[in-house]
Amino acid sequence: MSVRILQNKCVGCGRCLSVCPGNLLKKGEDGKVHIRNIRDCWGCTACLKECHTGAILYFLGADMGGMGSMLSVKEKGDVRVWRVDSPDGQTKTIEINMKDSNKY
Ligand code: SF4
Ligand code: SF4
């Protein structure tokens, strides 16, 4: 598993649907987004970056140093807040102002 969608945080905006390169995400009759088959997801993180409510969690496995932590993103105005929740209960956040990023 690489991503998980928290139904209670999904607002059905559809932003994630248009960016999945495998067309793996679909909107259900409940208006929430679901993944068609989790085994088809290769963890590109495109949907994660588009979800500004923190509804999509990305699994950081031991093989990439994440030791089972979950990564999510929330938007606060121009700032994206990246949050890592570790299995031991610790939380780390990284804030990036989108106005300052990608200046090259
Ligand atoms: S981007 Fe997030 S909130 Fe919007 S539909 Fe997708 S999972 Fe739901
Ligand atoms: S991580 Fe990439 S492949 Fe997986 S559901 Fe999200 S956009 Fe699609």
Side-chain angles (χ1 to χ4, degrees):
M1 181 189 79
S2 53
V3 295
R4 185 173 142 208
I5 301 172
L6 300 177
Q7 299 301 307
N8 62 333
K9 290 190 176 178
C10 176
V11 296
C13 66
R15 292 176 61 132
C16 58
L17 296 176
S18 57
V19 298
C20 178
N23 192 26
L24 302 179
L25 303 170
K26 63 174 181 181
K27 198 180 269 193
E29 290 181 7
D30 58 0
K32 313 279 185 171
V33 162
H34 304 264
I35 190 159
R36 295 179 202 277
N37 189 339
I38 192 64
R39 285 177 295 181
D40 291 337
C41 170
W42 60 92
C44 72
T45 73
C47 59
L48 181 75
K49 287 181 258 187
E50 285 301 315
C51 183
H52 297 167
T53 67
I56 301 180
L57 302 180
Y58 183 76
F59 181 67
L60 297 168
D63 55 335
M64 51 197 299
M67 304 306 289
S69 300
M70 301 298 281
L71 177 67
S72 61
V73 190
K74 272 192 178 174
E75 191 176 71
K76 287 196 303 189
D78 293 327
V79 176
R80 291 253 178 96
V81 182
W82 294 79
R83 173 180 165 142
V84 178
D85 288 290
S86 304
D88 63 5
Q90 290 189 53
T91 298
K92 291 179 187 165
T93 58
I94 301 167
E95 296 196 2
I96 298 173
N97 190 317
M98 299 309 290
K99 286 185 175 172
D100 297 334
S101 63
N102 297 331
K103 286 184 179 173
Y104 53 84

